[in-house]
Amino acid sequence: MSEAFKSGFVALVGRPNAGKSTLLNACLGQKVAIESPVAQTTRKRLRAVVNTQDAQLVIVDTPGLHKPKDALGKELNRSALGELADVDVVALLVDSTKTVGRGDAWVANHVEACDAEFKLLVLTKADLSNPSQMAAQLDAAQALAHFDDAIVVSAKEGFNVDGFLRLVVEHLPEGPRWFPEDMPYDATPEDLVAEFVREKAFLNLKQEIPHSVGVRCDSIEYAKDGHASISATILVEREGQKGIVVGSKGSMIKRIGTEARPELERLLNCKVYLDLNVRVQPQWRRDRSEIRRLGYDAGE
């Protein structure tokens, strides 16, 4: 007699740069969540669907939980915490290379208070830690809250990613396939355009500029020959920032577009023509209407 089919939702939560998006991409086996060393890279919830013969896992990537400084930060926290209310498994990711602190404790308190059936501690970036550092981090992280289990992974190197998936599947309830097998994620093409352009902006811009950048996909038009003509707008808050994003003789905006285009062609499976514009929107991170238009709000 075959085992019953299992399915469920798994929320990845933690501080900024804990490795949530990298782990999601490793679990899925392809890059759909953007990654950068800049805090608050993830602004939109993304659900990736991992299918096995006996189970379907819906893995939810959430914004990093942090002390908010503006309306955008408050919405990102609200979005991340909102995912704790309706998932079967919560995985708290803790960076093994950084000292466990009050921020991790604050997140752990929310994890402990949620109703998820299984609460998993995940120590990330094992490839960057030595054994003694990892052991100390594990002890410190386990003291934050009651966890049902703990695991060490390196999503970048693929270490223990399969172990993470097996452990989660063991604790999923019986259920149906919530998503078709040929639907690996729930992002729209417009979402992908905005996110991957923003990733390339984050990777190329320095200091505080990335935090002031928002991206909106204005249009995608598919031609008869199969290519996609895409128009997107990069928002900044000050004229000086616009000059930096455009760059000397348009060099920076060209670089951002050149780096984003191959990612979009891979995800959209067609040739892409990408037109990027930069617009100044003063204090957009404090404007809830603009945050909503960009899709960075937590929703209802």
Side-chain angles (χ1 to χ4, degrees), residues 39-276:
Q40 299 174 42
T41 296
T42 300
R43 290 178 179 170
K44 294 184 178 182
R45 181 199 69 184
L46 175 67
R47 294 188 293 193
V49 184
V50 177
N51 291 289
T52 70
Q53 183 176 350
D54 301 314
Q56 183 179 79
L57 300 78
V58 183
I59 304 176
V60 187
D61 187 20
T62 64
L65 288 158
H66 63 289
K67 185 176 181 179
K69 298 180 180 180
D70 47 39
L72 174 61
K74 292 177 181 177
E75 284 297 307
L76 297 183
N77 274 1
R78 196 159 74 91
S79 176
L81 292 175
E83 294 302 326
L84 298 180
D86 195 28
V87 293
D88 303 287
V89 175
V90 172
L92 172 61
L93 274 63
V94 175
D95 185 340
S96 65
T97 68
K98 296 181 180 178
T99 302
V100 174
R102 289 184 296 177
D104 297 295
W106 182 76
V107 180
N109 287 338
H110 284 282
V111 171
E112 190 159 42
C114 79
D115 293 329
E117 290 294 324
F118 186 66
K119 299 170 185 178
L120 177 63
L121 171 64
V122 182
L123 255 64
T124 62
K125 307 182 185 180
D127 55 302
L128 301 178
S129 294
N130 58 52
S132 60
Q133 182 184 22
M134 183 65 71
Q137 287 292 89
L138 185 59
D139 288 342
Q142 285 180 316
L144 295 174
H146 171 74
F147 297 99
D148 297 299
D149 210 334
I151 191 169
V152 175
V153 305
S154 168
K156 183 178 179 182
E157 298 295 329
F159 170 70
N160 234 3
V161 173
D162 287 341
F164 168 80
L165 290 172
R166 286 195 300 269
L167 185 56
V168 170
V169 168
E170 286 177 15
H171 295 89
L172 290 180
E174 294 182 13
R177 289 190 188 274
W178 295 103
F179 293 91
E181 290 189 70
D182 60 353
M183 181 180 176
Y185 49 84
D186 67 350
T188 67
E190 289 79 9
D191 289 335
L192 294 174
V193 169
E195 289 294 274
F196 277 86
V197 169
R198 189 165 61 83
E199 179 194 56
K200 303 313 176 187
F202 273 34
L203 291 172
N204 282 287
L205 299 170
K206 306 301 182 183
Q207 299 176 348
E208 287 300 306
I209 298 295
H211 296 293
S212 301
V213 167
V215 180
R216 181 181 62 238
C217 177
D218 300 312
S219 65
I220 302 178
E221 296 181 0
Y222 293 95
K224 291 182 179 180
D225 64 4
H227 80 263
S229 294
I230 300 173
S231 176
T233 299
I234 299 175
L235 296 185
V236 293
E237 295 186 313
R238 299 193 301 272
E239 283 291 341
Q241 294 170 343
K242 179 178 179 179
I244 293 171
V245 174
V246 172
S248 176
K249 298 181 180 180
S251 58
M252 180 56 72
I253 194 71
K254 181 178 179 180
R255 182 189 304 174
I256 291 169
T258 298
E259 293 183 6
R261 191 176 298 109
E263 299 266 26
L264 296 176
E265 290 181 339
R266 172 181 61 85
L267 290 162
L268 301 180
N269 196 31
C270 67
K271 183 79 172 177
V272 164
Y273 299 134
L274 181 60
D275 178 41
L276 298 178

